[in-house]
Structure formats: structure tokens, C-alpha cells
Amino acid sequence: MNAFFQGAAAMHPIGSWLVAIANDNAPDDFAYSVFNTPEIPGGRGASGSVIGLATGFEVSADTEHFDEAVAFLRFYAASLENQRLWAEAGQFSPIEGAMDVADLDPHTQELAEIFESATALVPPPDTGYPVEVADVFYEGAAMAASGARDAEAALAWIDQQLEPLRQERD
């Protein structure tokens, strides 16, 4: 991420939290934009999809401070005013309407528009796939990012590595 902020990396594939981190850590004159990963012609999967996930909070039923934890979350996480501030700091808010009333950073607004126009939300490999599948995906992505293989060859390698797992599943 630092290499990206210093102009030594062309891009940095990461989630929406990059905006808040850039607001705090990137040089004042740092210019960047956001985009959804382009579709691969003839590729499989949901056209127009976005990799992402919804996050939230949970309170253990076994905690001795259950009522206090719920009260805090109602104040912190469920308050439209607090979530407006959260969105204005560059974070996505799960509270309906918070993004609409917030004075959003242009980058956060760009990301919100990408998510609003998405046809499907696909979980990222590290949270939505079995570990062995995520490992193969990330290894293939590293090959493409490092130049060890071009994108097409990396995808072919991923498919080859995952074939035994597909056969086990079927």
C-alpha cells in the first residue's frame, strides 16, 4: 500500500477501506481512482458482479455484559448520525440511508456507485471460499501480479489446480 501511495505501484487491489486509509496516509497531492475489475470475455460467473461482503457486529449470548454490548452497538453501529460520520470518513455504512445523507468523499461515492450498479455480490476468496480454493486463487493472482505468468496462463493454472477439488465435490 505504501508503494501505491508513493507512486511506485500502478494499482492496489483492495476493498473500500482503502479510501479511509488513503485519506489518513497518502500524500496530499496523491491522485487515484477506483474501478471494478474488468470482465474476461467469455469468462464464467455473474456478469456485472462485484467482489465484496457485508460486515457487522455480533454479541455473544454468553457474555455477562450482553445488555451493555447491545446498547453500545445501538448507539455506535445503528445510529444514522454515527453511520453518517462513518461514511464521511470513507467507510461504507450498512445502515440504510446513511450513505445517502453523508457528504461523501469522491472516492467513496465512486465505490458506492459501483456497488449500487452491481448485479451480484461475490464473496472474496479469503472469506467465501474453502481455504484450499482461496490458496490456489491467491497463488495464481500472485503469479499474474509478479509477471511469472500472464493473466490467461494464471487462470489456466488455477483451473488445473482446482480440477481435483471439483472432482471430489461432484
Side-chain angles (χ1 to χ4, degrees):
M1 190 177 306
N2 286 331
F4 178 61
F5 291 156
Q6 295 169 5
M11 58 186 257
H12 185 67
I14 192 167
S16 60
W17 54 88
L18 176 71
V19 174
I21 294 170
N23 288 344
D24 290 341
N25 297 303
D28 291 339
D29 63 347
F30 182 70
Y32 69 103
S33 188
V34 300
F35 61 92
N36 195 6
T37 307
E39 292 184 29
I40 298 170
R44 295 175 290 196
S47 179
S49 64
V50 172
I51 292 178
L53 52 99
T55 59
F57 299 94
E58 295 181 15
V59 177
S60 171
D62 296 331
T63 182
E64 62 183 81
H65 302 289
F66 183 84
D67 292 336
E68 293 88 347
V70 170
F72 172 75
L73 287 177
R74 281 195 177 122
F75 164 75
Y76 174 73
S79 157
L80 181 60
E81 177 59 17
N82 285 344
Q83 289 299 304
R84 179 189 63 79
L85 294 170
W86 180 260
E88 288 177 357
Q91 302 291 339
F92 269 52
S93 172
I95 300 299
E96 187 174 354
M99 300 292 280
D100 297 327
V101 299
D103 182 18
L104 298 178
D105 168 286
H107 298 100
T108 304
Q109 183 63 46
E110 286 179 290
L111 285 168
E113 289 169 5
I114 289 171
F115 273 84
E116 286 172 13
S117 66
T119 58
L121 189 63
V122 179
D126 60 337
T127 62
Y129 302 2
V131 172
E132 59 273 11
V133 173
D135 285 347
V136 168
F137 171 80
Y138 284 127
E139 189 170 345
M143 288 175 187
S146 70
R149 295 179 190 230
D150 65 24
E152 189 174 335
L155 285 171
W157 179 87
I158 290 170
D159 281 341
Q160 180 184 24
Q161 300 304 307
L162 294 179
E163 186 56 36
L165 296 173
R166 283 188 198 101
Q167 290 175 0
E168 286 177 20
R169 186 189 68 206
D170 296 339

